[in-house]
Amino acid sequence: QKEVEQDPGPLSVPEGAIVSLNCTYSNSAFQYFMWYRQYSRKGPELLMYTYSSGNKEDGRFTAQVDKSSKYISLFIRDSQPSDSATYLCAMPLQGGSEKLVFGKGTKLTVNP
Amino acid sequence: SAVISQKPSRDICQRGTSLTIQCQVDSQVTMMFWYRQQPGQSLTLIATANQGSEATYESGFVIDKFPISRPNLTFSTLTVSNMSPEDSSIYLCSVEDRVPGTAWTYGYTFGSGTRLTVV
Protein backbone atom coordinates (compact mmCIF):
# COMPACT_ATOMS: atom_id res chain seq x y z
CA GLN A 1 0.00 0.00 0.00
CA LYS A 2 1.36 3.38 -1.01
CA GLU A 3 1.76 5.93 1.76
CA VAL A 4 -0.48 8.46 -0.02
CA GLU A 5 -3.25 7.51 -2.44
CA GLN A 6 -4.87 10.01 -4.77
CA ASP A 7 -7.20 9.34 -7.67
CA PRO A 8 -5.43 10.74 -10.75
CA GLY A 9 -8.70 11.45 -12.56
CA PRO A 10 -8.99 13.15 -14.95
CA LEU A 11 -11.87 15.15 -13.54
CA SER A 12 -13.92 17.41 -15.78
CA VAL A 13 -16.57 19.79 -14.42
CA PRO A 14 -18.58 22.74 -15.70
CA GLU A 15 -17.74 26.24 -14.60
CA GLY A 16 -19.34 27.10 -11.28
CA ALA A 17 -19.36 23.52 -9.99
CA ILE A 18 -18.11 22.51 -6.57
CA VAL A 19 -15.04 20.31 -6.90
CA SER A 20 -13.98 17.75 -4.34
CA LEU A 21 -10.45 16.35 -4.42
CA ASN A 22 -9.33 13.68 -1.99
CA CYS A 23 -6.34 11.80 -0.64
CA THR A 24 -5.97 8.97 1.81
CA TYR A 25 -2.84 8.12 3.71
CA SER A 26 -1.64 5.17 5.71
CA ASN A 27 1.09 6.58 7.95
CA SER A 28 -0.14 7.95 11.28
CA ALA A 29 3.09 9.93 11.55
CA PHE A 30 1.75 12.43 9.01
CA GLN A 31 0.64 15.46 10.98
CA TYR A 32 0.82 18.25 8.42
CA PHE A 33 -1.01 18.33 5.11
CA MET A 34 -0.58 20.44 2.01
CA TRP A 35 -2.36 20.93 -1.26
CA TYR A 36 -0.42 22.09 -4.28
CA ARG A 37 -1.66 23.29 -7.64
CA GLN A 38 0.46 22.62 -10.71
CA TYR A 39 -0.27 24.23 -14.04
CA SER A 40 1.07 22.59 -17.17
CA ARG A 41 4.81 23.13 -17.57
CA LYS A 42 5.09 24.85 -14.19
CA GLY A 43 6.30 23.82 -10.77
CA PRO A 44 3.80 23.07 -7.97
CA GLU A 45 2.58 26.07 -5.98
CA LEU A 46 1.28 25.81 -2.43
CA LEU A 47 -2.47 26.35 -2.03
CA MET A 48 -3.24 25.23 1.50
CA TYR A 49 -1.27 24.04 4.53
CA THR A 50 -3.07 22.51 7.50
CA TYR A 51 -1.99 20.65 10.60
CA SER A 52 -5.15 19.95 12.52
CA SER A 53 -8.34 18.05 11.95
CA GLY A 54 -11.23 20.10 10.71
CA ASN A 55 -11.68 22.70 8.01
CA LYS A 56 -9.54 25.59 6.83
CA GLU A 57 -10.90 28.12 4.38
CA ASP A 58 -9.09 30.45 2.01
CA GLY A 59 -11.36 32.19 -0.44
CA ARG A 60 -12.97 29.61 -2.70
CA PHE A 61 -10.78 26.82 -1.31
CA THR A 62 -11.49 24.70 1.76
CA ALA A 63 -9.09 22.07 3.07
CA GLN A 64 -10.54 19.38 5.29
CA VAL A 65 -8.58 16.92 7.42
CA ASP A 66 -9.93 13.83 9.16
CA LYS A 67 -7.02 12.25 10.99
CA SER A 68 -9.15 9.47 12.45
CA SER A 69 -9.95 8.27 8.93
CA LYS A 70 -6.59 9.32 7.46
CA TYR A 71 -8.47 11.26 4.81
CA ILE A 72 -7.97 14.76 3.48
CA SER A 73 -10.00 16.78 1.01
CA LEU A 74 -9.77 19.98 -0.96
CA PHE A 75 -13.01 21.66 -2.01
CA ILE A 76 -13.17 24.34 -4.68
CA ARG A 77 -16.34 26.43 -4.76
CA ASP A 78 -17.55 28.27 -7.85
CA SER A 79 -14.86 26.63 -9.95
CA GLN A 80 -13.35 28.69 -12.76
CA PRO A 81 -11.57 27.70 -15.98
CA SER A 82 -8.42 29.16 -14.40
CA ASP A 83 -8.65 26.40 -11.78
CA SER A 84 -7.83 23.85 -14.49
CA ALA A 85 -4.61 22.25 -13.27
CA THR A 86 -3.26 19.20 -11.51
CA TYR A 87 -3.83 19.19 -7.76
CA LEU A 88 -1.41 17.30 -5.54
CA CYS A 89 -1.70 16.46 -1.89
CA ALA A 90 1.55 16.31 0.05
CA MET A 91 2.65 15.50 3.58
CA PRO A 92 5.98 16.09 5.30
CA LEU A 93 7.16 12.72 6.50
CA GLN A 94 8.11 13.90 9.98
CA GLY A 95 5.93 16.95 10.24
CA GLY A 96 8.79 19.42 9.83
CA SER A 97 11.90 19.90 7.79
CA GLU A 98 11.71 16.61 6.02
CA LYS A 99 10.85 15.26 2.65
CA LEU A 100 7.39 15.61 1.25
CA VAL A 101 5.43 12.52 0.27
CA PHE A 102 3.09 13.31 -2.61
CA GLY A 103 -0.03 11.82 -4.06
CA LYS A 104 0.00 11.25 -7.81
CA GLY A 105 -2.12 14.34 -8.42
CA THR A 106 -5.61 14.78 -9.84
CA LYS A 107 -5.93 16.52 -13.18
CA LEU A 108 -8.89 18.91 -13.14
CA THR A 109 -10.48 20.61 -16.12
CA VAL A 110 -13.14 23.28 -15.58
CA ASN A 111 -15.11 23.84 -18.76
CA PRO A 112 -16.52 27.30 -19.53
CA SER B 1 7.93 32.74 0.12
CA ALA B 2 11.28 32.12 -1.50
CA VAL B 3 11.70 32.66 -5.22
CA ILE B 4 13.59 29.99 -7.15
CA SER B 5 15.16 30.33 -10.56
CA GLN B 6 15.72 26.93 -12.20
CA LYS B 7 17.64 26.37 -15.42
CA PRO B 8 17.36 25.00 -18.02
CA SER B 9 13.60 24.82 -18.38
CA ARG B 10 13.89 21.98 -20.85
CA ASP B 11 16.47 20.02 -22.80
CA ILE B 12 16.76 17.14 -25.21
CA CYS B 13 19.89 15.10 -24.64
CA GLN B 14 21.62 12.13 -26.22
CA ARG B 15 21.87 8.93 -24.22
CA GLY B 16 25.17 8.52 -22.44
CA THR B 17 25.63 12.24 -21.88
CA SER B 18 25.12 14.28 -18.69
CA LEU B 19 23.01 17.32 -17.90
CA THR B 20 23.48 19.74 -15.01
CA ILE B 21 20.44 21.54 -13.65
CA GLN B 22 20.87 24.72 -11.61
CA CYS B 23 18.70 26.26 -8.91
CA GLN B 24 19.22 29.74 -7.52
CA VAL B 25 17.21 30.93 -4.50
CA ASP B 26 16.66 34.57 -3.60
CA SER B 27 17.31 33.94 0.10
CA GLN B 28 19.63 31.78 2.20
CA VAL B 29 18.19 28.37 2.96
CA THR B 30 19.61 25.49 4.94
CA MET B 31 18.27 22.63 2.87
CA MET B 32 17.42 22.28 -0.78
CA PHE B 33 15.49 19.32 -2.10
CA TRP B 34 15.64 17.71 -5.54
CA TYR B 35 12.59 15.86 -6.87
CA ARG B 36 11.76 13.85 -9.97
CA GLN B 37 8.30 13.87 -11.53
CA GLN B 38 7.77 11.05 -13.99
CA PRO B 39 4.64 10.90 -16.17
CA GLY B 40 1.71 9.51 -14.20
CA GLN B 41 3.78 9.20 -11.04
CA SER B 42 4.11 11.06 -7.77
CA LEU B 43 6.83 13.59 -7.24
CA THR B 44 9.66 11.58 -5.73
CA LEU B 45 12.47 12.97 -3.63
CA ILE B 46 15.91 12.25 -5.07
CA ALA B 47 18.07 13.85 -2.40
CA THR B 48 18.39 16.56 0.19
CA ALA B 49 21.30 18.98 -0.16
CA ASN B 50 22.77 20.76 2.85
CA GLN B 51 25.42 23.41 2.41
CA GLY B 52 28.83 22.15 3.48
CA SER B 53 28.01 18.47 3.65
CA GLU B 54 27.30 15.54 1.37
CA ALA B 55 23.80 15.27 0.00
CA THR B 56 21.52 12.65 1.49
CA TYR B 57 20.03 10.34 -1.14
CA GLU B 58 16.74 8.49 -0.99
CA SER B 59 16.42 4.80 -1.60
CA GLY B 60 16.87 4.02 -5.28
CA PHE B 61 19.00 7.08 -6.03
CA VAL B 62 22.81 7.11 -5.92
CA ILE B 63 25.44 9.81 -5.98
CA ASP B 64 27.21 8.44 -9.05
CA LYS B 65 24.03 8.84 -11.09
CA PHE B 66 22.77 12.10 -9.53
CA PRO B 67 25.73 14.07 -8.15
CA ILE B 68 24.69 17.22 -6.31
CA SER B 69 26.65 20.33 -5.44
CA ARG B 70 25.72 22.88 -2.78
CA PRO B 71 28.48 25.49 -2.75
CA ASN B 72 26.54 28.09 -0.74
CA LEU B 73 23.21 28.78 0.94
CA THR B 74 21.48 30.09 -2.20
CA PHE B 75 22.58 27.70 -4.96
CA SER B 76 22.57 24.02 -5.87
CA THR B 77 23.06 21.86 -8.93
CA LEU B 78 21.84 18.38 -9.80
CA THR B 79 23.60 16.42 -12.54
CA VAL B 80 21.90 13.55 -14.32
CA SER B 81 24.80 11.36 -15.46
CA ASN B 82 25.16 8.81 -18.22
CA MET B 83 21.57 9.38 -19.25
CA SER B 84 19.21 6.79 -20.69
CA PRO B 85 15.65 7.24 -22.00
CA GLU B 86 14.39 6.10 -18.57
CA ASP B 87 15.77 9.37 -17.14
CA SER B 88 13.30 11.37 -19.22
CA SER B 89 11.34 13.23 -16.61
CA ILE B 90 10.74 16.59 -14.98
CA TYR B 91 13.30 17.51 -12.31
CA LEU B 92 12.41 20.07 -9.66
CA CYS B 93 14.25 21.76 -6.85
CA SER B 94 12.49 22.90 -3.71
CA VAL B 95 13.18 24.83 -0.53
CA GLU B 96 11.41 25.04 2.77
CA ASP B 97 9.62 28.30 3.59
CA ARG B 98 10.17 29.24 7.21
CA VAL B 99 9.12 32.17 9.34
CA PRO B 100 12.44 34.04 9.71
CA GLY B 101 14.21 33.30 12.98
CA THR B 102 11.98 30.34 13.80
CA ALA B 103 11.70 26.65 13.01
CA TRP B 104 8.12 27.17 11.85
CA THR B 105 7.58 25.88 8.35
CA TYR B 106 4.66 27.19 6.35
CA GLY B 107 5.25 25.35 3.12
CA TYR B 108 7.71 24.49 0.43
CA THR B 109 8.44 26.45 -2.74
CA PHE B 110 9.31 24.71 -5.98
CA GLY B 111 11.24 25.79 -9.02
CA SER B 112 9.49 25.74 -12.37
CA GLY B 113 11.11 22.44 -13.29
CA THR B 114 13.45 21.09 -15.95
CA ARG B 115 11.76 18.92 -18.57
CA LEU B 116 14.38 16.41 -19.73
CA THR B 117 14.00 14.19 -22.77
CA VAL B 118 16.68 11.60 -23.46
CA VAL B 119 16.85 10.23 -27.00
Side-chain angles (χ1 to χ4, degrees), chain B residues 2-3 15 18-19 25 34 37 47 56 60 62 69 74 82-83 101-102 114 117:
Chain B
V3 176
R15 67 175 68 202
S18 297
L19 175 72
V25 190
W34 287 97
Q37 187 175 28
T56 302
V62 295
S69 77
T74 63
N82 188 24
M83 288 183 285
T102 77
T114 296
T117 302

Side-chain angles (χ1 to χ4, degrees), chain A residues 32 34 36 38 41-44 46 49 51 88 92 96-100 102-104, chain B residues 10 31 35 37 40 42-43 45 58 92 96 98 104-108 110-112 115:
Chain A
Y32 298 79
M34 303 178 194
Y36 282 84
Q38 186 174 22
R41 303 185 186 281
K42 299 287 187 184
L46 182 66
Y49 185 11
Y51 54 88
L88 306 110
S97 303
E98 298 294 337
K99 72 176 185 179
L100 293 178
F102 281 86
K104 285 188 176 183
Chain B
R10 61 192 308 152
M31 289 187 287
Y35 285 84
Q37 187 175 28
S42 312
L43 271 84
L45 183 67
E58 296 298 308
L92 298 126
E96 184 184 18
R98 281 193 177 183
W104 184 254
T105 299
Y106 60 90
Y108 295 76
F110 285 80
S112 55
R115 183 178 296 267

Side-chain angles (χ1 to χ4, degrees), chain B:
Chain B
S1 302
V3 176
I4 300 176
S5 174
Q6 184 173 344
K7 296 190 289 189
S9 59
R10 61 192 308 152
D11 208 340
I12 301 173
C13 300
Q14 297 290 325
R15 67 175 68 202
T17 63
S18 297
L19 175 72
T20 295
I21 301 166
Q22 299 179 4
C23 271
Q24 178 75 51
V25 190
D26 69 341
S27 57
Q28 294 184 337
V29 293
T30 304
M31 289 187 287
M32 294 182 73
F33 305 89
W34 287 97
Y35 285 84
R36 182 173 72 182
Q37 187 175 28
Q38 294 181 304
Q41 301 299 315
S42 312
L43 271 84
T44 302
L45 183 67
I46 297 170
T48 301
N50 282 330
Q51 193 269 335
S53 64
E54 292 284 332
T56 302
Y57 288 82
E58 296 298 308
S59 175
F61 298 96
V62 295
I63 187 171
D64 289 347
K65 177 67 176 177
F66 297 101
I68 286 171
S69 77
R70 185 77 203 276
N72 57 52
L73 290 173
T74 63
F75 188 79
S76 180
T77 68
L78 170 78
T79 298
V80 186
S81 302
N82 188 24
M83 288 183 285
S84 67
E86 292 70 35
D87 295 319
S88 298
S89 188
I90 298 172
Y91 294 86
L92 298 126
C93 62
S94 175
V95 301
E96 184 184 18
D97 291 311
R98 281 193 177 183
V99 176
T102 77
W104 184 254
T105 299
Y106 60 90
Y108 295 76
T109 293
F110 285 80
S112 55
T114 296
R115 183 178 296 267
L116 171 62
T117 302
V118 184
V119 296

